[in-house]
């Protein structure tokens, strides 16, 4: 149970970490606004939180109209006071060889994870600034600190979230607004299923075989994944702290990989990442000889002639 009840809005609360967080915070006595883009899922969250102070509001973070409508709803709920805490959680990951991911998919990834997060933040910030109080909690990832093979595009969105959050933390502090980052490790949610759902589009790329091996390996990795309650608790710590930390890594064991990436020489780290991603000539089945573009012997007479012509006096 928290010391003070706060009005907290959670984006992407229809599944996984966001859903668990919304219910966990409501159980702690906070007044929660669980948001998402699927009305049927929001209704289930409301049912699960029966008896708790939890309301639901439709919010697609990629739509300005949807954001404006959600701000109006929050104004109504809070009687014009605005939010105490905004939890920017909505996000997803695209998995695939970085060079082969289409421009459209890359933009789609940034629209939600980066521009969506910033647009929602901009929309709820004015009331916090007016009151000189508030808190923004951004769900990043351990992938905002290290880059994994095939997660280059997703990881780059989380690196962006890390940098934007650092700058917001400096810039909003004078207004009494705190900014905290949550950096989850591997968590058992729909995230992995969404990430692997588009893998067939890489079947005709040079990475097809390695991607298949990686997909099989990622299925077995599920048993190392943590329950989303671990992240809900980390978010609750950031909500309830007098002054939140800049970063919450959860579960704690995830720190190990961050330290390793900082301590290992780059060549050793790269070798490990290539092993993880099956990025060896053998695993990629690069047994055929590479295409060579043999140099053609230079026709010296042409060069001589051209040079002589160039130096001939003009008529
Ligand atoms: N699971 C992990 O291992 C892990 C690790 C590190 C970081 N994270 C981060 O944790 C956050 C939550 O992911 P999760 O693991 O809980 O995955 P999840 O189970 O797939 O849940 C993602 C949530 O985000 C919502 N969402 C996606 N696009 C949205 C949009 N445009 N507008 C509003 N909501 C949207 C989804 O709603 P729909 O059902 O409508 O799509 C869903 O409610 C993400 O930011 C993710 O990057 C996850």
């Amino acid at each position: 149970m928290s010391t003070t009840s706060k009005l907290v809005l959670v984006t992407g609360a229809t599944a996984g970490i966001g859903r668990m967080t919304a219910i966990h915070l409501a159980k702690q006595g906070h007044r929660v606004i669980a948001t998402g883009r699927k009305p049927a899922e929001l209704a289930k969250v409301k049912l699960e939180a029966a008896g708790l102070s939890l309301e639901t509001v439709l919010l697609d973070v990629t739509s300005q109209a949807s954001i404006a409508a959600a701000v109006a709803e929050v104004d109504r709920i809070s009687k014009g006071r605005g939010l105490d805490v905004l939890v920017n959680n909505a996000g997803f990951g695209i998995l695939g060889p970085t060079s082969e991911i289409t421009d459209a998919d890359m933009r789609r990834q940034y629209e939600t994870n980066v521009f969506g997060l910033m647009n929602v933040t901009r929309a709820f910030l004015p009331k916090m600034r007016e009151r000189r109080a508030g808190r923004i909690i951004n769900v990043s990832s351990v992938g905002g600190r290290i880059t994994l093979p095939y997660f280059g595009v997703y990881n780059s969105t989380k690196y962006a979230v890390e940098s934007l959050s650092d700058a917001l933390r400096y810039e909003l502090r004078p207004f009494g607004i705190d900014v905290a980052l949550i950096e989850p490790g591997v968590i058992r949610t729909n995230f992995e299923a969404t990430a692997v759902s588009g893998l067939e589009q890489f079947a005709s790329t040079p990475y097809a075989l390695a991607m298949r091996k990686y997909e099989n390996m990622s299925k077995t990795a599920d048993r190392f994944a943590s329950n989303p309650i671990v992240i809900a608790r980390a978010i609750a710590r950031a909500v309830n702290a007098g002054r939140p930390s800049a970063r919450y890594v959860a579960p704690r064991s995830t720190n190990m990989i961050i330290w390793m990436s900082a301590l290992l020489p780059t060549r050793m780290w790269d070798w490990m990442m290539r092993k993880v991603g099956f990025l060896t000539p053998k695993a990629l089945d690069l047994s055929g000889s590479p295409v060579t573009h043999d140099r053609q012997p230079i026709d010296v007479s042409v060069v001589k002639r051209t040079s002589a012509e160039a130096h001939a006096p003009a008529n």
Side-chain angles (χ1 to χ4, degrees):
M1 178 67 196
S2 64
T3 43
T4 330
S5 173
K6 294 178 178 170
L7 182 63
V8 188
L9 183 144
V10 183
T11 68
T14 50
I17 292 170
R19 185 179 183 137
M20 186 67 93
T21 301
I23 290 168
H24 184 66
L25 291 173
K27 281 183 181 164
Q28 288 193 332
H30 293 292
R31 201 174 162 203
V32 175
I33 304 174
T35 71
R37 53 185 180 173
K38 291 179 178 153
E41 290 306 315
L42 285 177
K44 286 185 202 163
V45 177
K46 177 101 181 130
L47 202 64
E48 199 178 334
L52 302 172
S53 179
L54 182 143
E55 304 188 46
T56 59
V57 169
L58 270 176
L59 175 55
D60 177 342
V61 303
T62 61
S63 154
Q64 289 289 6
S66 177
I67 294 172
V71 170
E73 259 306 273
V74 169
D75 276 349
R76 186 191 61 76
I77 292 167
S78 67
K79 299 189 173 61
R81 189 178 167 277
L83 297 173
D84 292 310
V85 185
L86 166 64
V87 180
N88 281 311
N89 162 76
F92 73 100
I94 289 176
L95 182 68
T98 308
S99 58
E100 311 304 308
I101 289 178
T102 62
D103 177 73
D105 275 347
M106 191 162 167
R107 285 175 193 277
R108 197 163 59 83
Q109 179 80 108
Y110 271 80
E111 279 303 329
T112 301
N113 294 11
V114 181
F115 295 110
L117 176 145
M118 282 306 295
N119 287 333
V120 172
T121 302
R122 276 189 206 102
F124 288 106
L125 206 47
K127 288 271 156 72
M128 291 186 185
R129 223 186 241 132
E130 267 170 37
R131 291 196 333 264
R132 302 275 190 270
R135 193 159 294 184
I136 296 161
I137 299 173
N138 291 334
V139 179
S140 172
S141 169
V142 61
R145 305 278 293 278
I146 60 162
T147 302
L148 291 174
Y150 309 126
F151 271 117
V153 169
Y154 169 69
N155 288 162
S156 73
T157 67
K158 294 300 187 181
Y159 272 65
V161 167
E162 295 270 329
S163 176
L164 293 166
S165 304
D166 282 340
L168 287 170
R169 199 176 62 252
Y170 319 142
E171 294 162 15
L172 295 177
R173 184 62 209 151
F175 297 91
I177 301 165
D178 290 309
V179 179
L181 279 156
I182 309 295
E183 298 173 333
V186 183
I187 312 299
R188 198 170 297 111
T189 64
N190 297 336
F191 180 88
E192 185 71 17
T194 306
V196 300
S197 63
L199 284 188
E200 70 288 346
Q201 65 181 299
F202 306 112
S204 56
T205 73
Y207 297 93
L209 197 61
M211 288 299 309
R212 256 204 315 279
K213 289 178 184 168
Y214 186 84
E215 188 185 1
N216 288 337
M217 181 195 69
S218 76
K219 281 178 193 149
T220 61
D222 184 62
R223 68 192 133 111
F224 303 110
S226 301
N227 188 296
I229 189 68
V230 174
I231 307 304
R233 288 192 187 122
I235 293 174
R237 283 201 295 281
V239 170
N240 297 327
R243 278 289 300 280
S245 302
R247 288 179 164 76
Y248 293 79
V249 178
R252 281 183 206 284
S253 55
T254 307
N255 276 306
M256 184 78 92
I257 186 101
I258 297 174
W259 292 333
M260 272 173 75
S261 76
L263 294 174
L264 285 179
T266 304
R267 282 185 186 205
M268 198 178 287
W269 175 260
D270 285 4
W271 175 83
M272 257 175 54
M273 290 299 108
R274 288 198 303 272
K275 285 280 172 203
V276 168
F278 300 97
L279 290 164
T280 59
K282 191 166 170 232
L284 288 164
D285 195 20
L286 303 181
S287 46
S289 19
V291 176
T292 55
H293 297 279
D294 292 334
R295 284 204 206 139
Q296 297 298 315
I298 298 168
D299 184 348
V300 182
S301 64
V302 174
V303 177
K304 275 187 180 155
R305 206 180 323 120
T306 316
S307 168
E309 280 162 10
H311 291 98
N315 288 331

